Amino acid sequence: MKSIRVIIPAAGKGSRLQKVSGDMPKAMFAVGNRPMLEYVLDNVSFVDEKDTYIVVGCGKDIIINHFGNKYTYIEQKKQLGTGHAVMECTKEFENFDGSVLITFGDMPLFRYEEMEAMCQQHIDNNADCTLMTAENPSLKSWARIIRDENGHFSRIVEGKDCTAEQQKIKELFSGVMVFDSKSLFRVLPEIGCANVQKEYYITEVPELMVKKGMSVDTYFTKDGDDLRGINTPEDLEICDKILKSRIAGRQ
C-alpha cells in the first residue's frame, strides 16, 4: 500500500501477566504459542517492514533481539500513555506525508484483511482520521463511539466514564486508528494529561479533529472478538481459544 506507515506502542510491562517480577514486555507474552506482537506484525504486514515503527520501553532488548533490525524501533523511556507513545515518533514523521496506522502490541486478534480494508477506505475517502469500530455485548467496559444527531462521529468515551445511557450504545471503539500523518502530528501536541493517571491518550485526537472541522470517518468490522486485548491471564486464555478456533475453521 502506497505512502503508509504503522506505529505499534509496545512499551508496557504487563505486570498483571507476570507471576513473578520481571522485565518481560507485555507484547512478548505468548498466546497460541507465539508472542502476541508476532500476530500484530502479521496483521499489518501490508505495510513495509522498514515503515513499521515499534515503540519499545520495558524489556526493549527482548523485542529487538527477537525481531531483529528489519523494523524501526522508537524508545519510550517513560510510559505516559498512548498519546505519549505516538509523540515519541514525532521527529521520525516530521517529513512524512502519507497515512499512519496505529495499533497496539497487546491486541493480536485483528485481521490482516480488515486492517488493510480500513486503511484503503481511509485513503479513498481522503479522511484525516478513520476509526475501527465493532459490536460485542460481552465487552461491557469498552469505550463507546458517540455520534451526533446526524450520525457523524463526535467523540470516544471510555467505558468507565460512560453514563447509564451511553452504556447502552452498542458501537465500541476498537483502539485501532489510521490518520493522515500531517493532520495527526499537527493536532497531537494539543492533547492534555488532565486525568487521574496523568497520561496522554491518543483517543483525544479524533474529537479534537472534529472540533477543528476535520474529517473523521469510521470503519465497522463484523467480528467483535477482534477488539479483545490482553491484560490478564484470563484474557490470554480467551484469546488463545479464539485463535485456535479460527485456525481450526480454516482447516
Side-chain angles (χ1 to χ4, degrees), residues 130-175:
T130 303
L131 311 170
M132 185 180 286
T133 71
E135 294 182 7
N136 189 331
S138 66
L139 302 179
K140 300 184 186 302
S141 64
W142 256 238
R144 268 51 171 195
I145 296 292
I146 309 299
R147 295 182 178 273
D148 64 20
E149 62 274 11
N150 296 315
H152 299 139
F153 171 84
S154 176
R155 60 195 172 105
I156 298 164
V157 176
E158 296 295 330
K160 65 181 182 298
D161 298 324
C162 284
T163 64
E165 196 64 28
Q166 290 169 340
Q167 286 281 358
K168 298 176 184 177
I169 295 172
K170 295 181 179 180
E171 187 178 19
L172 308 179
F173 174 53
S174 70

Side-chain angles (χ1 to χ4, degrees), residues 64-175:
I64 295 170
N65 290 338
H66 183 85
F67 292 101
N69 60 9
K70 57 187 176 181
Y71 299 107
T72 303
Y73 300 96
I74 303 292
E75 185 175 7
Q76 185 185 18
K77 293 182 178 179
K78 293 183 179 180
Q79 278 75 69
L80 300 177
T82 54
H84 179 257
V86 178
M87 287 176 185
E88 296 288 76
C89 301
T90 300
K91 186 175 180 180
E92 298 286 339
F93 280 73
E94 60 186 1
N95 295 317
F96 176 63
D97 188 7
S99 300
V100 53
L101 170 64
I102 298 175
T103 188
F104 296 91
D106 60 354
M107 302 188 77
L109 296 181
F110 290 106
R111 304 162 191 262
Y112 176 103
E113 59 269 22
E114 292 293 312
M115 297 287 234
E116 185 179 40
M118 180 186 67
C119 291
Q120 191 61 60
Q121 175 188 299
H122 172 81
I123 292 168
D124 291 345
N125 291 351
N126 196 30
D128 291 293
C129 172
T130 303
L131 311 170
M132 185 180 286
T133 71
E135 294 182 7
N136 189 331
S138 66
L139 302 179
K140 300 184 186 302
S141 64
W142 256 238
R144 268 51 171 195
I145 296 292
I146 309 299
R147 295 182 178 273
D148 64 20
E149 62 274 11
N150 296 315
H152 299 139
F153 171 84
S154 176
R155 60 195 172 105
I156 298 164
V157 176
E158 296 295 330
K160 65 181 182 298
D161 298 324
C162 284
T163 64
E165 196 64 28
Q166 290 169 340
Q167 286 281 358
K168 298 176 184 177
I169 295 172
K170 295 181 179 180
E171 187 178 19
L172 308 179
F173 174 53
S174 70

Side-chain angles (χ1 to χ4, degrees), residues 45-64:
S45 59
F46 55 88
V47 179
D48 287 344
E49 291 171 342
K50 64 181 175 59
D51 292 325
T52 299
Y53 292 74
I54 304 174
V55 182
V56 295
C58 171
K60 64 177 182 177
D61 291 339
I62 296 174
I63 292 178
I64 295 170

Side-chain angles (χ1 to χ4, degrees), residues 229-243:
I230 296 177
N231 293 302
T232 66
E234 291 75 22
D235 293 334
L236 272 173
E237 290 181 14
I238 292 170
C239 288
D240 188 69
K241 289 179 181 178
I242 292 170
L243 284 169

Side-chain angles (χ1 to χ4, degrees), residues 36-48:
M36 63 179 92
L37 183 55
E38 285 191 7
Y39 295 97
V40 177
L41 290 167
D42 284 349
N43 294 337
V44 298
S45 59
F46 55 88
V47 179
D48 287 344

